[in-house]
Amino acid sequence: MGAHSWAGLSESALARVRGILDSTGLGAVVLTTPGAVSWATRGLNLPIDRAAGVDTIWVVINADSACLITTEVEAPRLREEYLAAHPSIDLVAVPWWDSSRLRRGSHRAQRSGRGRNRH
């Protein structure tokens, strides 16, 4: 599959979340639900299950960066189809079979502010 035409993260979503971070004093936010992820990523991930409580992609946004967290299964597809045209968007890949790794990956991304293609 070739690269898809994806516009990248929504600048308006990033600005809105960063405004909330600034006004509340929070360091970062992690978007995990299909609706929130779709809003922030302009529909990057087509939901596998629209009723799911969490998406297969999470978005971590802090004051000066944002990154995507997904499973090692989805990461190659995202890199090839979407992120090739957006090298500034960081991606953290975690094992699909351990949901706690998504949480740990989001904590790492929040602390470091960047997640450049780490596993």
Side-chain angles (χ1 to χ4, degrees):
M1 282 192 173
H4 293 274
S5 177
W6 178 59
L9 295 172
S10 167
E11 291 300 323
S12 63
L14 292 174
R16 189 165 180 192
V17 169
R18 288 179 175 143
I20 293 168
L21 293 175
D22 187 50
S23 68
T24 61
L26 293 173
V29 68
V30 182
L31 305 177
T32 63
T33 64
V37 170
S38 182
W39 170 68
T41 64
R42 301 179 201 207
L44 170 67
N45 198 31
L46 297 175
I48 295 168
D49 178 1
R50 293 187 188 277
V54 294
D55 203 313
T56 57
I57 298 173
W58 290 10
V59 182
V60 178
I61 302 170
N62 64 27
D64 58 2
S65 67
C67 79
L68 304 177
I69 302 173
T70 193
T71 65
E72 292 170 343
V73 173
E74 287 292 309
R77 178 183 70 84
L78 292 176
R79 281 189 190 103
E80 179 184 332
E81 295 180 9
Y82 298 101
L83 298 180
H86 301 277
S88 66
I89 298 175
D90 295 329
L91 180 67
V92 175
V94 299
W96 65 268
W97 46 266
D98 185 356
S99 62
S100 68
R101 296 282 182 104
L102 283 167
R103 288 188 296 281
R104 287 195 299 252
S106 71
H107 292 299
R108 256 194 332 268
Q110 290 173 57
R111 284 193 307 273
S112 70
R114 305 296 279 168
R116 174 70 56 209
N117 294 315
R118 293 183 297 177
H119 291 273

